[in-house]
Amino acid sequence: MVILLKILNLAVTLTAAPLLLGIIIRVKAWFAGRTGQPLLQPYYDIWKLLRKGTVYSVSTSWVFRAGPLVSLAVTLTAALLLPMGGLPAVFAFDGDFLVFVYLLGLLRFFMIVSALDTGSSFEGMGSSREAAFSALCEPALLIGLAAIAKITGHASLTPMAASLQPALWTAAGPAFVLVGFALIIVFLSENCRIPVDDPTTHLELTMIHEAMVLDHGGLDLGMLQYAAALKMWLLGLVLVGVVVPIHSGFLCLDTAATLLCMGLLAVLVGIVESSMARIRLLRIPPLLIGAAALSVLALVLVYR
Amino acid sequence: MSLFIGGFAIIFIGGLASLFCGRRGGLASLCGVLGTAAGSIAAIIPAFKVLFSGAAESVQIAWAVPFGSFCLRLDPLSAFFLIPILGLSSIAAVYGVEYLSSYQSRKNLGVPWFFYALLLVGMMLVVAAGNGLLFLIAWEIMSVASFFLVSFEYEKPAVRQAGLSYLIAMHIGTAFLILFFILLSSGTGSLDFDKIPMFPAAKANLLFLLAVVGFGTKAGFMPLHVWLPHAHPAAPSHVSAVMSGVMIKTGIYGLVRAAMLLGTPPAWWGWLLIMIGAVSGILGVLFALAQHDLKRLLAYHSVENIGIITIGLGVGLLGVHLHSPILAVLGFAGGLFHVLNHAVFKGLLFLCAGSVLHSSGTGCLDKLGGLIKRMPWTASAFLVGAAAISGLPPLNGFASEFLLYLGVFKNNGGDGLEMLVLALIVIGSLALIGGLALACFTKAFGIVFLGHPRSGAAQESHEAGVLMKLSMAVLACLCVLLGLLSPWVVRSAAYVIAAIAPLPMGQIEAELGCASSVLLGFVFVSLVFAIVLFGLTAVRCRLLKSRCVRQSVTWDCGYARPDSRMQYTATSFAQPITALFNVFLQTRKKFLPPEGLFPVRSSFETETPDLGERYLYLPLYRWICALFGKLQWLQHGRVQIYIFYIALTLWLLLMWKLM
């Protein structure tokens, strides 16, 4: 029975991940007064790309070809570590979120080196920014998770999410709010959304993630896009899982509520993207350090 | 123990033999490497035996020196440090054979091999010494031997400078250690480690501070690390690997040994080490980011990793003080495991850097590029080392950092300010170090091995020879193996931790068992990752077989003449981070802007001088210089006056004797 639930968790993650992107795009279209593309457009895009061949630059080596494979393998493996509402994670052990965070580090490592492999300055620029900003995200994410671990008394995501009773919120509400804000900033930054990065432009002065995948094409780009969608889903699951106290006792209800929260998160991202401009690159480090400061504050409140 | 002494003798004899056949370079290398390898194999057997059985072995040899006794003792702690020392030294020796062969026509190769053997013998003696005086002598042998190795290419002024600054830094450190041992013996008059009495708190505190400064100079704590960024680039690369991989760890060994001798630690010892560790770790990686030279960059990363190890030791000491077994065991286990891991991946990275230097003749990042095409083996090995040092799963660097994190995350030692500060410093600094190390090593790997060659030297580089490739491959495999075998490696540290921390064996084993089962989860995840990666690779291969795969140029914005100098450089890659942390780095920039309608020349230079050098050592030396300048009136250069000084001294001594 438990195994079935674990498989169900994995299946939902793998199929639903690109939907978040679809929702975000639809919300943005709605704000702009357009009809927008179909909700399932990201699926069509990925499917279209996955059926194509590829073009490789003559400058590149096996590292460039390994980039998309490692990205997808990392996100698929990381999906095994996250619970979803009532559905437990496939693997759960103390400190599993550390493995999760560092697996995302491995993804970033390969994205950066495969971007540098092309020898293009655009990709150098994107990867340099990615390296700098994600280095600042890491303390915010881990200190925030430390605060939650301290509140719940668990060091593993599945029991952490399971023990998140509404009563805990009344006891340590401010800490949850602070961690929630910190994790939203990390979520936006790690997934290259406004206000940190603009996923819709190809203007070299502003772009980070888009610049890094500039030379990937066809099948490889499809894999990268699916990996990026999965990464967004997984970070969203962490955010929803450790901050929102969904605990009705009914498995279906919990899971449905989590999925609903994921949808709301996508709507929130859409609203942020429609109502805000991308901030200047020089202002991004203070934003991320601010996120870390929120996490630190949460930890202070917890240990008070 | 006889095997240990036998191995010791074989290494020394091998060194002597290579000194005698020095003119015939090939033979000298053969003697050196055979002696090192055979001796290491012999000596590593008792080390493993002690580590797994927990029973210390010792031998006493007659030695008529005041305060001294030739007491060699292999306890689990010594054995634990002995294993990476012997392992890495023999692998690096194999590499050294080929690396040194290019100097064969110009230099006497017997000399570096002799000093290499002497360095190894010195390190063995340091960890096995059971007496303070013997320890100091071994310490000195190690320092002097490595000084001669650093100054191998003494005809270059920069190398002489580096060697000298290394020698001076080592002896400042040793001065503190001599003081440490004198104070240690002042109670009983004996320097045998097993006869050290318990000290009153004030004296123990003073002794601990002396040990931190003395051993910290060797280990490379900020700001005592100034010799590292000079000495590592100057030394031949296999020597850099040994120095950075294991020699600086003797400083850590000394610190742990000192803490053991001084009894129950007060809280502030732990805090001091955690602070030193966090500062060394963060500043080390920041300075590494600002470097332009590959080996200098790696040297700063040694400071960073020593920082991580020291955080572990600090957490462990704090755990002992707070009677929190989880903090004590996981802190020490994480720190010690990182000692082993750092030896492996830093050794590997220095060997790879050596191959780059060997084939292209330059370690300057901005002159390299695209080496993966010409040096695929070296590049792949460097990639493994870079991922390992950035603490990424599934490699070994992650496993040890994971233990440190876990200790803090699972510590339920109560609320309060103390635990808060601990969690903040450890988690915050480890997370930041991890992120910055990733930035630094993607920079190092990306700029050196990927893209297009930035100079002719990089264009003409070639792959390393068989022996060099072999030793790099062995270390790269060890990075993977130590990661995958981490649950079992950690269990083997039980006796070492029992020797350091006054905890019941059962409790230590229980905590380690817990850690090991958690690491098992990590290993499972790693294996799944490997399978998924393999599967995806196979699927893509199949899919692409029937599809159109074309080659083209990198997208260049329609520009007709892209040039390799248009690529991102190491400096530009690190710029967002170095600009953010400029408060600490204080990078000097020299910019010559293009002028006129048809600008001919323009240049941009950055230099990041070391913080410790600028604000600690330089003012200190200036002050000493000024002080001695005041005594200059004694010096006239006239023989008569000097004879007068001698006569005066003799007369004074006579008067003193008569009174």
mmCIF file of all heavy atoms in Angstrom, chain A residues 150-189:
data_model
loop_
_atom_site.group_PDB
_atom_site.id
_atom_site.type_symbol
_atom_site.label_atom_id
_atom_site.label_comp_id
_atom_site.label_asym_id
_atom_site.label_seq_id
_atom_site.Cartn_x
_atom_site.Cartn_y
_atom_site.Cartn_z
ATOM 1 N N LYS A 150 13.753 22.504 13.471
ATOM 2 C CA LYS A 150 13.747 22.724 14.919
ATOM 3 C C LYS A 150 12.309 22.762 15.458
ATOM 4 O O LYS A 150 12.012 22.189 16.507
ATOM 5 C CB LYS A 150 14.470 24.037 15.216
ATOM 6 C CG LYS A 150 14.523 24.418 16.659
ATOM 7 C CD LYS A 150 15.452 23.514 17.440
ATOM 8 C CE LYS A 150 15.304 23.796 18.929
ATOM 9 N NZ LYS A 150 15.928 22.767 19.741
ATOM 10 N N ILE A 151 11.399 23.421 14.708
ATOM 11 C CA ILE A 151 10.011 23.511 15.181
ATOM 12 C C ILE A 151 9.376 22.134 15.236
ATOM 13 O O ILE A 151 8.751 21.754 16.217
ATOM 14 C CB ILE A 151 9.171 24.414 14.232
ATOM 15 C CG1 ILE A 151 9.712 25.830 14.232
ATOM 16 C CG2 ILE A 151 7.714 24.418 14.676
ATOM 17 C CD1 ILE A 151 9.054 26.715 13.197
ATOM 18 N N THR A 152 9.544 21.368 14.153
ATOM 19 C CA THR A 152 8.844 20.083 14.076
ATOM 20 C C THR A 152 9.601 18.988 14.807
ATOM 21 O O THR A 152 9.026 17.944 15.109
ATOM 22 C CB THR A 152 8.666 19.652 12.610
ATOM 23 O OG1 THR A 152 9.968 19.598 12.001
ATOM 24 C CG2 THR A 152 7.806 20.621 11.848
ATOM 25 N N GLY A 153 10.898 19.200 15.053
ATOM 26 C CA GLY A 153 11.683 18.162 15.717
ATOM 27 C C GLY A 153 12.065 17.015 14.807
ATOM 28 O O GLY A 153 12.452 15.959 15.265
ATOM 29 N N HIS A 154 11.936 17.216 13.505
ATOM 30 C CA HIS A 154 12.331 16.169 12.562
ATOM 31 C C HIS A 154 13.373 16.720 11.596
ATOM 32 O O HIS A 154 13.341 17.888 11.253
ATOM 33 C CB HIS A 154 11.133 15.677 11.755
ATOM 34 C CG HIS A 154 10.134 14.943 12.579
ATOM 35 N ND1 HIS A 154 10.364 13.690 13.074
ATOM 36 C CD2 HIS A 154 8.906 15.300 13.009
ATOM 37 C CE1 HIS A 154 9.316 13.303 13.775
ATOM 38 N NE2 HIS A 154 8.412 14.260 13.759
ATOM 39 N N ALA A 155 14.273 15.849 11.159
ATOM 40 C CA ALA A 155 15.285 16.280 10.209
ATOM 41 C C ALA A 155 15.088 15.607 8.854
ATOM 42 O O ALA A 155 16.020 15.449 8.094
ATOM 43 C CB ALA A 155 16.681 15.997 10.752
ATOM 44 N N SER A 156 13.880 15.179 8.580
ATOM 45 C CA SER A 156 13.595 14.542 7.301
ATOM 46 C C SER A 156 12.294 15.118 6.762
ATOM 47 O O SER A 156 11.377 15.406 7.532
ATOM 48 C CB SER A 156 13.472 13.032 7.497
ATOM 49 O OG SER A 156 12.904 12.451 6.353
ATOM 50 N N LEU A 157 12.202 15.289 5.464
ATOM 51 C CA LEU A 157 11.065 16.042 4.913
ATOM 52 C C LEU A 157 9.719 15.361 5.143
ATOM 53 O O LEU A 157 8.737 16.024 5.473
ATOM 54 C CB LEU A 157 11.280 16.270 3.416
ATOM 55 C CG LEU A 157 12.255 17.394 3.080
ATOM 56 C CD1 LEU A 157 12.593 17.366 1.606
ATOM 57 C CD2 LEU A 157 11.662 18.741 3.448
ATOM 58 N N THR A 158 9.661 14.040 4.980
ATOM 59 C CA THR A 158 8.359 13.375 5.089
ATOM 60 C C THR A 158 7.748 13.538 6.489
ATOM 61 O O THR A 158 6.622 14.031 6.606
ATOM 62 C CB THR A 158 8.487 11.897 4.684
ATOM 63 O OG1 THR A 158 9.019 11.857 3.371
ATOM 64 C CG2 THR A 158 7.157 11.193 4.717
ATOM 65 N N PRO A 159 8.472 13.159 7.560
ATOM 66 C CA PRO A 159 7.884 13.392 8.885
ATOM 67 C C PRO A 159 7.717 14.878 9.197
ATOM 68 O O PRO A 159 6.788 15.261 9.913
ATOM 69 C CB PRO A 159 8.891 12.744 9.842
ATOM 70 C CG PRO A 159 10.127 12.571 9.086
ATOM 71 C CD PRO A 159 9.754 12.455 7.655
ATOM 72 N N MET A 160 8.598 15.700 8.626
ATOM 73 C CA MET A 160 8.494 17.147 8.848
ATOM 74 C C MET A 160 7.149 17.658 8.336
ATOM 75 O O MET A 160 6.412 18.353 9.035
ATOM 76 C CB MET A 160 9.617 17.837 8.067
ATOM 77 C CG MET A 160 10.213 19.055 8.705
ATOM 78 S SD MET A 160 11.295 19.828 7.494
ATOM 79 C CE MET A 160 12.861 19.383 8.081
ATOM 80 N N ALA A 161 6.820 17.261 7.101
ATOM 81 C CA ALA A 161 5.562 17.712 6.513
ATOM 82 C C ALA A 161 4.376 17.075 7.226
ATOM 83 O O ALA A 161 3.336 17.697 7.431
ATOM 84 C CB ALA A 161 5.538 17.374 5.028
ATOM 85 N N ALA A 162 4.562 15.816 7.643
ATOM 86 C CA ALA A 162 3.447 15.106 8.270
ATOM 87 C C ALA A 162 3.112 15.677 9.644
ATOM 88 O O ALA A 162 1.980 15.642 10.085
ATOM 89 C CB ALA A 162 3.787 13.626 8.383
ATOM 90 N N SER A 163 4.148 16.201 10.328
ATOM 91 C CA SER A 163 3.897 16.682 11.688
ATOM 92 C C SER A 163 3.539 18.165 11.710
ATOM 93 O O SER A 163 3.529 18.786 12.762
ATOM 94 C CB SER A 163 5.126 16.442 12.550
ATOM 95 O OG SER A 163 6.194 17.205 12.053
ATOM 96 N N LEU A 164 3.273 18.705 10.549
ATOM 97 C CA LEU A 164 2.997 20.142 10.487
ATOM 98 C C LEU A 164 1.531 20.412 10.839
ATOM 99 O O LEU A 164 0.734 20.733 9.975
ATOM 100 C CB LEU A 164 3.334 20.645 9.086
ATOM 101 C CG LEU A 164 3.829 22.088 9.000
ATOM 102 C CD1 LEU A 164 5.126 22.224 9.746
ATOM 103 C CD2 LEU A 164 4.018 22.488 7.558
ATOM 104 N N GLN A 165 1.197 20.253 12.112
ATOM 105 C CA GLN A 165 -0.183 20.478 12.548
ATOM 106 C C GLN A 165 -0.483 21.978 12.566
ATOM 107 O O GLN A 165 0.419 22.771 12.791
ATOM 108 C CB GLN A 165 -0.366 19.947 13.967
ATOM 109 C CG GLN A 165 0.107 18.535 14.176
ATOM 110 C CD GLN A 165 -0.944 17.525 13.769
ATOM 111 O OE1 GLN A 165 -2.010 17.906 13.317
ATOM 112 N NE2 GLN A 165 -0.637 16.255 13.906
ATOM 113 N N PRO A 166 -1.763 22.326 12.365
ATOM 114 C CA PRO A 166 -2.125 23.740 12.491
ATOM 115 C C PRO A 166 -1.755 24.302 13.871
ATOM 116 O O PRO A 166 -1.469 25.492 14.008
ATOM 117 C CB PRO A 166 -3.637 23.740 12.297
ATOM 118 C CG PRO A 166 -3.899 22.524 11.482
ATOM 119 C CD PRO A 166 -2.873 21.521 11.874
ATOM 120 N N ALA A 167 -1.711 23.408 14.885
ATOM 121 C CA ALA A 167 -1.346 23.873 16.223
ATOM 122 C C ALA A 167 0.059 24.461 16.236
ATOM 123 O O ALA A 167 0.349 25.404 16.970
ATOM 124 C CB ALA A 167 -1.440 22.717 17.210
ATOM 125 N N LEU A 168 0.951 23.874 15.427
ATOM 126 C CA LEU A 168 2.317 24.389 15.367
ATOM 127 C C LEU A 168 2.327 25.821 14.844
ATOM 128 O O LEU A 168 3.145 26.646 15.233
ATOM 129 C CB LEU A 168 3.164 23.514 14.445
ATOM 130 C CG LEU A 168 3.809 22.284 15.065
ATOM 131 C CD1 LEU A 168 4.601 21.545 14.013
ATOM 132 C CD2 LEU A 168 4.706 22.688 16.206
ATOM 133 N N TRP A 169 1.400 26.078 13.928
ATOM 134 C CA TRP A 169 1.329 27.427 13.351
ATOM 135 C C TRP A 169 0.956 28.455 14.412
ATOM 136 O O TRP A 169 1.489 29.554 14.449
ATOM 137 C CB TRP A 169 0.311 27.469 12.215
ATOM 138 C CG TRP A 169 0.984 27.557 10.897
ATOM 139 C CD1 TRP A 169 1.495 26.541 10.184
ATOM 140 C CD2 TRP A 169 1.233 28.751 10.149
ATOM 141 N NE1 TRP A 169 2.050 27.002 9.030
ATOM 142 C CE2 TRP A 169 1.906 28.366 8.980
ATOM 143 C CE3 TRP A 169 0.955 30.112 10.346
ATOM 144 C CZ2 TRP A 169 2.310 29.269 8.016
ATOM 145 C CZ3 TRP A 169 1.354 31.022 9.388
ATOM 146 C CH2 TRP A 169 2.027 30.600 8.239
ATOM 147 N N THR A 170 0.019 28.055 15.274
ATOM 148 C CA THR A 170 -0.361 29.020 16.306
ATOM 149 C C THR A 170 0.785 29.229 17.281
ATOM 150 O O THR A 170 0.944 30.298 17.855
ATOM 151 C CB THR A 170 -1.604 28.531 17.056
ATOM 152 O OG1 THR A 170 -1.406 27.160 17.393
ATOM 153 C CG2 THR A 170 -2.857 28.692 16.229
ATOM 154 N N ALA A 171 1.616 28.176 17.457
ATOM 155 C CA ALA A 171 2.729 28.314 18.396
ATOM 156 C C ALA A 171 3.879 29.095 17.795
ATOM 157 O O ALA A 171 4.512 29.904 18.468
ATOM 158 C CB ALA A 171 3.201 26.926 18.834
ATOM 159 N N ALA A 172 4.170 28.849 16.527
ATOM 160 C CA ALA A 172 5.361 29.469 15.930
ATOM 161 C C ALA A 172 5.003 30.133 14.607
ATOM 162 O O ALA A 172 5.762 30.048 13.638
ATOM 163 C CB ALA A 172 6.446 28.414 15.735
ATOM 164 N N GLY A 173 3.861 30.773 14.573
ATOM 165 C CA GLY A 173 3.389 31.403 13.345
ATOM 166 C C GLY A 173 4.386 32.336 12.680
ATOM 167 O O GLY A 173 4.689 32.186 11.481
ATOM 168 N N PRO A 174 4.933 33.308 13.441
ATOM 169 C CA PRO A 174 5.843 34.270 12.796
ATOM 170 C C PRO A 174 7.019 33.596 12.100
ATOM 171 O O PRO A 174 7.407 33.998 11.006
ATOM 172 C CB PRO A 174 6.313 35.126 13.966
ATOM 173 C CG PRO A 174 5.259 34.983 15.000
ATOM 174 C CD PRO A 174 4.688 33.627 14.847
ATOM 175 N N ALA A 175 7.549 32.535 12.733
ATOM 176 C CA ALA A 175 8.693 31.857 12.117
ATOM 177 C C ALA A 175 8.282 31.251 10.777
ATOM 178 O O ALA A 175 9.011 31.355 9.784
ATOM 179 C CB ALA A 175 9.214 30.772 13.049
ATOM 180 N N PHE A 176 7.081 30.637 10.757
ATOM 181 C CA PHE A 176 6.620 30.053 9.500
ATOM 182 C C PHE A 176 6.463 31.117 8.413
ATOM 183 O O PHE A 176 6.828 30.907 7.258
ATOM 184 C CB PHE A 176 5.279 29.348 9.713
ATOM 185 C CG PHE A 176 5.420 27.963 10.245
ATOM 186 C CD1 PHE A 176 5.054 27.667 11.542
ATOM 187 C CD2 PHE A 176 5.927 26.951 9.449
ATOM 188 C CE1 PHE A 176 5.187 26.389 12.039
ATOM 189 C CE2 PHE A 176 6.060 25.670 9.943
ATOM 190 C CZ PHE A 176 5.686 25.380 11.246
ATOM 191 N N VAL A 177 5.906 32.265 8.820
ATOM 192 C CA VAL A 177 5.705 33.335 7.832
ATOM 193 C C VAL A 177 7.048 33.783 7.265
ATOM 194 O O VAL A 177 7.218 33.924 6.044
ATOM 195 C CB VAL A 177 4.972 34.523 8.480
ATOM 196 C CG1 VAL A 177 4.925 35.699 7.522
ATOM 197 C CG2 VAL A 177 3.575 34.118 8.882
ATOM 198 N N LEU A 178 8.027 33.973 8.169
ATOM 199 C CA LEU A 178 9.353 34.427 7.712
ATOM 200 C C LEU A 178 9.984 33.402 6.777
ATOM 201 O O LEU A 178 10.490 33.748 5.705
ATOM 202 C CB LEU A 178 10.260 34.663 8.921
ATOM 203 C CG LEU A 178 9.907 35.868 9.789
ATOM 204 C CD1 LEU A 178 10.725 35.867 11.061
ATOM 205 C CD2 LEU A 178 10.162 37.149 9.010
ATOM 206 N N VAL A 179 9.949 32.131 7.191
ATOM 207 C CA VAL A 179 10.538 31.088 6.329
ATOM 208 C C VAL A 179 9.794 31.045 5.004
ATOM 209 O O VAL A 179 10.394 30.897 3.937
ATOM 210 C CB VAL A 179 10.492 29.714 7.032
ATOM 211 C CG1 VAL A 179 10.936 28.618 6.079
ATOM 212 C CG2 VAL A 179 11.377 29.723 8.247
ATOM 213 N N GLY A 180 8.462 31.220 5.070
ATOM 214 C CA GLY A 180 7.675 31.213 3.841
ATOM 215 C C GLY A 180 8.144 32.288 2.876
ATOM 216 O O GLY A 180 8.385 32.013 1.698
ATOM 217 N N PHE A 181 8.330 33.496 3.398
ATOM 218 C CA PHE A 181 8.802 34.576 2.521
ATOM 219 C C PHE A 181 10.186 34.269 1.965
ATOM 220 O O PHE A 181 10.451 34.458 0.769
ATOM 221 C CB PHE A 181 8.818 35.907 3.287
ATOM 222 C CG PHE A 181 7.535 36.652 3.161
ATOM 223 C CD1 PHE A 181 6.640 36.732 4.216
ATOM 224 C CD2 PHE A 181 7.207 37.272 1.958
ATOM 225 C CE1 PHE A 181 5.440 37.407 4.089
ATOM 226 C CE2 PHE A 181 6.017 37.952 1.832
ATOM 227 C CZ PHE A 181 5.124 38.018 2.893
ATOM 228 N N ALA A 182 11.075 33.797 2.838
ATOM 229 C CA ALA A 182 12.440 33.488 2.386
ATOM 230 C C ALA A 182 12.395 32.437 1.285
ATOM 231 O O ALA A 182 13.054 32.575 0.247
ATOM 232 C CB ALA A 182 13.277 33.000 3.553
ATOM 233 N N LEU A 183 11.577 31.399 1.495
ATOM 234 C CA LEU A 183 11.548 30.321 0.511
ATOM 235 C C LEU A 183 10.901 30.778 -0.799
ATOM 236 O O LEU A 183 11.267 30.296 -1.869
ATOM 237 C CB LEU A 183 10.819 29.098 1.072
ATOM 238 C CG LEU A 183 11.552 28.334 2.172
ATOM 239 C CD1 LEU A 183 10.864 27.017 2.445
ATOM 240 C CD2 LEU A 183 12.993 28.077 1.807
ATOM 241 N N ILE A 184 9.939 31.731 -0.715
ATOM 242 C CA ILE A 184 9.362 32.238 -1.968
ATOM 243 C C ILE A 184 10.426 32.965 -2.780
ATOM 244 O O ILE A 184 10.539 32.779 -4.000
ATOM 245 C CB ILE A 184 8.161 33.151 -1.676
ATOM 246 C CG1 ILE A 184 6.965 32.303 -1.265
ATOM 247 C CG2 ILE A 184 7.791 33.969 -2.914
ATOM 248 C CD1 ILE A 184 5.745 33.089 -0.891
ATOM 249 N N ILE A 185 11.248 33.763 -2.077
ATOM 250 C CA ILE A 185 12.319 34.465 -2.811
ATOM 251 C C ILE A 185 13.279 33.448 -3.424
ATOM 252 O O ILE A 185 13.676 33.559 -4.588
ATOM 253 C CB ILE A 185 13.056 35.440 -1.874
ATOM 254 C CG1 ILE A 185 12.087 36.523 -1.404
ATOM 255 C CG2 ILE A 185 14.252 36.063 -2.587
ATOM 256 C CD1 ILE A 185 12.667 37.452 -0.378
ATOM 257 N N VAL A 186 13.641 32.423 -2.629
ATOM 258 C CA VAL A 186 14.532 31.393 -3.162
ATOM 259 C C VAL A 186 13.871 30.699 -4.354
ATOM 260 O O VAL A 186 14.513 30.449 -5.377
ATOM 261 C CB VAL A 186 14.875 30.368 -2.058
ATOM 262 C CG1 VAL A 186 15.594 29.169 -2.646
ATOM 263 C CG2 VAL A 186 15.731 31.016 -1.001
ATOM 264 N N PHE A 187 12.573 30.424 -4.220
ATOM 265 C CA PHE A 187 11.836 29.760 -5.297
ATOM 266 C C PHE A 187 11.894 30.585 -6.579
ATOM 267 O O PHE A 187 12.197 30.078 -7.657
ATOM 268 C CB PHE A 187 10.374 29.573 -4.841
ATOM 269 C CG PHE A 187 9.481 28.966 -5.879
ATOM 270 C CD1 PHE A 187 9.437 27.597 -6.052
ATOM 271 C CD2 PHE A 187 8.669 29.761 -6.677
ATOM 272 C CE1 PHE A 187 8.611 27.031 -7.004
ATOM 273 C CE2 PHE A 187 7.846 29.200 -7.627
ATOM 274 C CZ PHE A 187 7.809 27.832 -7.790
ATOM 275 N N LEU A 188 11.649 31.887 -6.452
ATOM 276 C CA LEU A 188 11.670 32.746 -7.644
ATOM 277 C C LEU A 188 13.066 32.815 -8.243
ATOM 278 O O LEU A 188 13.238 32.770 -9.459
ATOM 279 C CB LEU A 188 11.184 34.149 -7.280
ATOM 280 C CG LEU A 188 9.708 34.258 -6.891
ATOM 281 C CD1 LEU A 188 9.392 35.655 -6.425
ATOM 282 C CD2 LEU A 188 8.823 33.888 -8.068
ATOM 283 N N SER A 189 14.068 32.923 -7.368
ATOM 284 C CA SER A 189 15.426 33.073 -7.872
ATOM 285 C C SER A 189 15.920 31.784 -8.514
ATOM 286 O O SER A 189 16.482 31.799 -9.607
ATOM 287 C CB SER A 189 16.339 33.483 -6.720
ATOM 288 O OG SER A 189 17.662 33.338 -7.100
#
